[in-house]
Amino acid sequence: MIEKKEEFLTVAPFECAWRKDLKFREAGRGCVSFEAFARNDVTLIFRENVGSRNYHYKRDSSPHYTVILGSHRNRRLRIEVDGKTVVDVAGVGLCCSSSFQSYWISIYDGLISIGKGKYPFQDIVFQWIDSNPNCNVRYIGLSSWDKHVSYRNVNVLSLTHNHMSLWKHVDFGEYQVEEEGDEELGDELMDYDNWGLKHFLESWELSDMLFIVGVEERPVPAHKTILAASGNFPLSSTSYVISLPTVTYPVLHALLQYIYTGWTQIPQEQLGSLRAVSLQFEVMPLVKQCEETMERIKLNRKLFESGNNVEFSYPSTRPHCCTTLPSLPIGIQRLKQLQSTGEYSDVNICIEGYGLVAQVHKIVLSLWSIPFAKMFTNGMSESISSEVTIRDVPPEAFRAMLEFMYSGELSDAVSLDSGALLLELLLLADQFGVTLLHQECCQILLECLSEDSICPLLQVVSWIPSCRLIKETCQRKFSMNFDYCTTTSTVFVLLDETVFSNIVQHPDLAVTSEEKVLNAILVFGLKAKELFGWEVLDELMINSKPELLFGDRLQLVNDLLSFVRFPLLPYSLLKKLQNSNISWRIPVFQNLVNEAINFIEFGHGRTENEENVRFQHRRSNYKEFQYIRDGDSNGVLYFAGTSYGEHQWVNPVLAKTLTITASSPHLRYTDPKVLVSRTYQGTSYAGPRMENGHKRAWWMVDLGQDHQLMCNYYTVRQDGSRAFMRCWNFQASLDGKTWTNLRVHENDPTVCRPGQFASWPIIGANALLPFRYFRPVLTGPTTDATNPWNLCICYLELYGYFL
């Protein structure tokens, strides 16, 4: 079981979380940074292909690396190659059980480096190089051993091609984060991976000032707004030239490259000159890194060979995939001040019918948006005009987008708004290609998604390709809350036909009755303004034809009716539908109803029916508990002991998450909590009682009024006696009074020794029916001649689909 709780991911013992977004951009090269909370065995697996859900690394036969922090009860660090241990060292990279601890692990052509701390490339605790490297590993699995491990803030980073040099010379490496959701959104939006401020480095496009460098007086273009927000340059609204006769071009280029891209390099011999010019213009992040590197050179000259380049990366706390504000040494407060005062502004943005919105800087808008960049550089009127008018744009949302462009983050007011403003902002981000804003809006909308907002949101995003992730999430949430979304209002009839069709066919569609699926399809087909059941349509069809009632949606209704699982409807209802006007008027409907009736009357055992989805119970609302082995921890009763996955296990009878009763009074050896304990009990039995004139002995489990189970397997364990069961039934009930036999045992010799486990599958149609109560009940005497009607079991577990 892998659970997403709040902002962290908890991986259960012996399981592994594989997500498609956790992968290196370049095979064999990448770094993953994360925080982990664990007593021991923080385990990461690096594979060539993504594993399946609940895929533990010990079952991984494909080529892979495994790194285990805190192995051997938090005493050792281990590295495995294809399951074979190659590193086993003591006291390195240990875990912390009192709080989340930061780690990073990088792989570079077989060089595995492990460190602690929030910043990758710092605080290395161990390195190992594979003499026969696997350069194809790409996907990252988060795993555990015998205790839960919680992970959060998991980021996949890309390494520079000068990675080996990076280890030796700098504290921070150039890296790029592929955040959760990037993969889904990136295919739909324009490819902005190479976009950002670096596009304008030493570019004449949108430049409004010059550096005159060196004795050769080389002109180097730049942008006042960017420089003013990065340091203290001698700028003014009237002057646009800075003369630097004593500075060489490579040194100035390194300074501007650092400002515009967040990364630069320079020969070691010119390090002092770079520090001097950075200090002159008060680009303090670069000054600090230059001084730290110069100090390291003094302390250990052997590590720094003369003539080598020294690299620097801006230590951003919010790295992104392109050179926009969060990854650059640009002062956000200073930039916002330039926005509010209009200083160095070169364009006025107006909205048609509204007027002036803001005085802004073309370079700032262009570093975020390719459409804006093209508008300002394509040679058309917008390129030379100081005023641009935009049509069909909401002013408030446009201001919010400008604020994001100048700060790199959404304002608190917008972040807390999950309504119209955020939706308008999402559409603007899509229109102007502001990728990171688009992703922020998507994330907030998904976090705030509720049953009431699904339909309005779907109406807007269903036609926007870049909103595929939101669309698919909304469709899934609608399908999982089908009852609510189709019975509280008729808003859903306004959805696009394809969207509604996807919902009806969704594999996660959960509904309390197939009749509600039928009613929803009919209401949607009629574009009804009021909710009603099929009976109303049946009345309408007395005097009207389907072509008139459904209009252009008639064919859609015919298509969607095949996704109603008619065989799951009550037999009495099916007979009513068979004799209805709808059946007479719509041949497809009639055929499906007749098929369902024939299935109930004659076809329970036909293999072709069992494989047809129309004859299968919907599982979406139910959590699957699969039998693995006798006495495992995968059953429903064990799950109840964990408060349904919320806490550590406590006997569920003591925790009162379920109730167990026996056919005989509560005695020393008739103790209900024994049946769901994790310890063996030598003597445990339920005595006989008379029911309907027959002697019976049973143990009964009540899952509670809020829970039901479609049971497909069960396990019992014999106590220490030799009173072995031979004839008994395993039964289920909805009310605890009327019982259905799920499996009948006649002269079953399976249990034949004290303390033995035994398990049986539940097959047939009854395995698809949900029940609240379950019990094994003796229908004949046991093998003990002294007390033949004592049901002597000390353990019971149930499996199947749990609601």
Side-chain angles (χ1 to χ4, degrees):
M1 178 182 60
I2 300 168
E3 303 165 352
K4 187 73 177 289
K5 295 182 180 181
E6 299 178 356
E7 298 180 357
F8 58 86
L9 181 73
T10 298
V11 181
F14 307 105
E15 296 187 3
C16 185
W18 292 99
R19 292 190 345 216
K20 290 184 178 180
D21 60 310
L22 294 184
K23 69 176 181 178
F24 296 153
R25 287 197 173 187
E26 183 179 5
R29 295 180 176 182
C31 178
V32 57
S33 65
F34 60 97
E35 294 179 358
F37 181 96
R39 294 182 182 178
N40 48 257
D41 295 310
V42 172
T43 305
L44 274 75
I45 303 94
F46 302 85
R47 280 190 56 186
E48 298 178 8
N49 299 294
V50 66
S52 62
R53 187 178 178 88
N54 301 343
Y55 191 98
H56 191 253
Y57 72 92
K58 285 297 182 182
R59 298 196 297 265
D60 188 353
S61 59
S62 64
H64 66 284
Y65 290 118
T66 300
V67 177
I68 309 173
L69 303 172
S71 179
H72 293 77
R73 297 187 178 180
N74 204 28
R75 293 196 295 266
R76 309 184 71 82
L77 178 146
R78 294 180 63 187
I79 298 177
E80 299 176 356
V81 177
D82 301 338
K84 297 181 180 179
T85 300
V86 294
V87 172
D88 190 357
V89 294
V92 176
L94 302 184
C95 305
C96 178
S97 60
S98 59
S99 63
F100 276 92
Q101 187 164 337
S102 300
Y103 305 88
W104 58 265
I105 300 172
S106 78
I107 297 180
Y108 193 91
D109 294 344
L111 173 64
I112 298 179
S113 303
I114 303 167
K116 286 188 174 183
K118 294 183 178 180
Y119 301 109
F121 320 127
Q122 283 191 320
D123 299 325
I124 303 173
V125 298
F126 191 82
Q127 282 185 304
W128 174 79
I129 188 164
D130 189 356
S131 59
N132 184 25
N134 184 339
C135 296
N136 296 317
V137 293
R138 191 166 191 175
Y139 288 90
I140 304 159
L142 307 176
S143 190
S144 64
W145 183 239
D146 61 344
K147 292 183 173 61
H148 286 75
V149 177
S150 295
Y151 296 89
R152 71 180 185 187
N153 296 331
V154 184
N155 289 318
V156 181
L157 319 172
S158 297
L159 304 179
T160 64
H161 293 287
N162 297 320
H163 181 68
M164 300 306 295
S165 174
L166 185 66
W167 286 121
K168 297 179 181 178
H169 299 311
V170 295
D171 287 335
F172 298 94
E174 180 191 16
Y175 57 94
Q176 300 171 328
V177 175
E178 182 172 321
E179 296 185 332
E180 185 173 348
D182 285 357
E183 181 178 8
E184 289 80 2
L185 299 174
D187 292 340
E188 301 294 340
L189 296 178
M190 296 178 66
D191 181 11
Y192 288 9
D193 284 354
N194 295 317
W195 191 250
L197 192 57
K198 62 184 177 184
H199 180 79
F200 298 94
L201 174 62
E202 297 183 23
S203 170
W204 292 96
E205 291 180 341
L206 306 181
S207 62
D208 53 4
M209 66 158 293
L210 289 174
F211 289 99
I212 304 299
V213 185
V215 294
E216 72 277 14
E217 296 186 344
R218 177 173 178 170
V220 179
H223 306 82
K224 290 182 179 180
T225 306
I226 302 303
L227 297 182
S230 305
N232 186 13
F233 292 81
L235 305 170
S236 70
S237 57
T238 57
S239 174
Y240 63 92
V241 176
I242 297 177
S243 181
L244 300 172
T246 61
V247 177
T248 63
Y249 168 73
V251 173
L252 178 67
H253 172 78
L255 173 66
L256 294 179
Q257 186 179 37
Y258 185 81
I259 293 173
Y260 278 68
T261 71
W263 175 89
T264 193
Q265 64 178 0
I266 197 167
Q268 181 180 320
E269 291 75 12
Q270 298 182 19
L271 185 57
S273 299
L274 179 59
R275 176 203 174 272
V277 73
S278 302
L279 184 60
Q280 176 184 348
F281 297 123
E282 299 181 17
V283 184
M284 300 314 295
L286 185 54
V287 171
K288 179 181 178 182
Q289 288 186 279
C290 286
E291 292 176 346
E292 290 175 349
T293 302
M294 293 168 70
E295 185 65 25
R296 286 198 301 274
I297 292 175
K298 288 181 182 179
L299 295 174
N300 196 341
R301 292 184 178 275
K302 293 181 179 180
L303 293 178
F304 298 86
E305 299 178 4
S306 177
N308 285 352
N309 285 339
V310 180
E311 298 182 6
F312 300 98
S313 287
Y314 175 64
S316 169
T317 57
R318 291 185 59 200
H320 282 284
C321 61
C322 53
T323 49
T324 46
L325 296 181
S327 57
L328 299 176
I330 294 177
I332 299 300
Q333 293 303 319
R334 175 59 175 152
L335 197 62
K336 292 172 70 174
Q337 182 182 2
L338 295 177
Q339 177 195 17
S340 62
T341 62
E343 188 176 4
Y344 308 131
S345 170
D346 52 5
V347 65
N348 295 335
I349 302 292
C350 300
I351 294 178
E352 187 177 64
Y354 182 83
L356 179 66
V357 177
Q359 295 176 306
V360 295
H361 308 83
K362 292 180 180 179
I363 183 64
V364 175
L365 273 59
S366 298
L367 78 90
W368 287 100
S369 165
I370 292 178
F372 269 124
K374 290 182 177 180
M375 180 189 299
F376 297 140
T377 60
N378 62 6
M380 304 300 287
S381 58
E382 292 87 351
S383 302
I384 58 176
S385 174
S386 61
E387 184 173 296
V388 172
T389 300
I390 302 175
R391 298 177 178 85
D392 301 323
V393 169
E396 187 177 358
F398 192 83
R399 286 197 188 95
M401 183 175 72
L402 290 178
E403 186 173 350
F404 179 88
M405 289 176 159
Y406 277 85
S407 67
E409 58 186 15
L410 283 172
S411 67
D412 292 338
V414 176
S415 298
L416 296 173
D417 184 297
S418 59
L421 177 60
L422 191 61
L423 198 54
E424 290 174 346
L425 194 56
L426 173 70
L427 299 180
L428 280 181
D430 177 78
Q431 178 181 346
F432 291 102
V434 188
T435 309
L436 298 180
L437 175 59
H438 186 280
Q439 294 171 0
E440 292 267 1
C441 292
C442 285
Q443 181 179 348
I444 296 173
L445 285 169
L446 290 176
E447 289 174 351
C448 301
L449 189 63
S450 67
E451 292 81 0
D452 293 316
S453 64
I454 293 173
C455 288
L457 190 56
L458 270 174
Q459 287 178 257
V460 175
V461 304
S462 59
W463 55 273
I464 305 175
S466 62
C467 292
R468 177 171 58 87
L469 177 62
I470 294 183
K471 176 182 174 182
E472 291 177 355
T473 304
C474 286
Q475 288 178 171
R476 182 172 184 270
K477 192 172 182 66
F478 188 116
S479 68
M480 295 178 68
N481 297 273
F482 194 86
D483 283 14
Y484 184 92
C485 294
T486 58
T487 58
T488 56
S489 74
T490 59
V491 177
F492 73 96
V493 305
L494 303 176
L495 293 176
D496 179 79
E497 293 183 11
T498 302
V499 169
F500 184 72
S501 179
N502 291 339
I503 292 169
V504 172
Q505 300 177 55
H506 202 286
D508 288 336
L509 190 144
V511 67
T512 56
S513 167
E514 290 299 313
E515 187 177 1
K516 292 190 176 181
V517 182
L518 172 62
N519 290 337
I521 292 172
L522 298 177
V523 169
F524 185 84
L526 291 172
K527 302 178 185 178
K529 296 181 180 179
E530 295 181 0
L531 295 168
F532 56 80
W534 64 269
E535 299 92 343
V536 174
L537 177 63
D538 194 51
E539 292 292 327
L540 294 175
M541 284 196 171
I542 295 177
N543 300 312
S544 186
K545 296 181 178 181
E547 293 80 4
L548 296 176
L549 292 171
F550 293 112
D552 57 355
R553 288 188 175 179
L554 177 58
Q555 184 57 48
L556 177 68
V557 171
N558 283 328
D559 294 340
L560 293 183
L561 283 173
S562 62
F563 296 99
V564 179
R565 303 189 180 185
F566 285 97
L568 302 183
L569 290 171
Y571 181 77
S572 58
L573 176 58
L574 286 172
K575 297 299 289 184
K576 291 180 181 179
L577 294 175
Q578 186 182 44
N579 298 319
S580 67
N581 295 309
I582 304 175
S583 182
W584 177 60
R585 293 277 191 176
I586 303 179
V588 171
F589 184 91
Q590 185 180 55
N591 293 336
L592 291 169
V593 171
N594 289 339
E595 177 189 56
I597 292 175
N598 290 334
F599 171 75
I600 292 176
E601 291 179 346
F602 309 108
H604 279 292
R606 294 181 182 176
T607 304
E608 61 271 18
N609 288 338
E610 293 177 359
E611 295 177 353
N612 191 321
V613 69
R614 289 200 301 275
F615 299 89
Q616 298 174 12
H617 201 286
R618 298 187 191 276
R619 303 187 335 185
S620 308
N621 251 9
Y622 296 84
K623 181 177 180 65
E624 183 176 7
F625 290 85
Q626 186 177 6
Y627 168 81
I628 302 298
R629 58 179 174 80
D630 294 343
D632 62 23
S633 299
N634 299 323
V636 171
L637 306 189
Y638 181 87
F639 184 62
T642 65
S643 295
Y644 311 110
E646 295 295 327
H647 305 294
Q648 293 294 321
W649 183 87
V650 175
N651 190 297
V653 172
L654 296 177
K656 298 183 179 180
T657 50
L658 53 80
T659 304
I660 296 181
T661 53
S663 52
S664 58
H666 190 146
L667 301 172
R668 178 182 178 185
Y669 298 115
T670 307
D671 187 355
K673 65 179 181 292
V674 168
L675 258 67
V676 285
S677 72
R678 309 303 294 173
T679 57
Y680 171 68
Q681 185 79 11
T683 304
S684 173
Y685 62 84
R689 67 184 299 176
M690 297 300 296
E691 289 184 352
N692 300 321
H694 300 281
K695 188 178 287 187
R696 296 286 185 260
W698 45 257
W699 288 99
M700 183 179 69
V701 177
D702 177 6
L703 299 177
Q705 61 180 358
D706 297 326
H707 299 288
Q708 292 181 338
L709 174 68
M710 291 187 291
C711 187
N712 58 25
Y713 233 102
Y714 81 100
T715 299
V716 299
R717 187 179 191 182
Q718 178 74 22
D719 72 355
S721 72
R722 305 188 66 84
F724 306 135
M725 299 184 295
R726 290 294 176 259
C727 299
W728 77 97
N729 295 340
F730 185 67
Q731 299 179 327
S733 173
L734 283 171
D735 57 7
K737 299 177 181 178
T738 303
W739 293 91
T740 299
N741 288 331
L742 299 185
R743 186 177 180 109
V744 175
H745 299 262
E746 293 288 346
N747 297 317
D748 188 333
T750 303
V751 180
C752 56
R753 64 180 184 273
Q756 177 189 346
F757 283 102
S759 301
W760 296 270
I762 307 299
I763 58 177
N766 287 339
L768 299 178
L769 298 176
F771 297 98
R772 170 180 170 178
Y773 300 88
F774 297 86
R775 69 177 187 178
V777 53
L778 282 180
T779 57
T782 68
T783 59
D784 181 20
T786 304
N787 296 295
W789 285 96
N790 282 349
L791 177 56
C792 300
I793 59 174
C794 62
Y795 176 89
L796 177 65
E797 186 56 278
L798 311 176
Y799 304 85
Y801 299 101
F802 179 69
L803 174 61

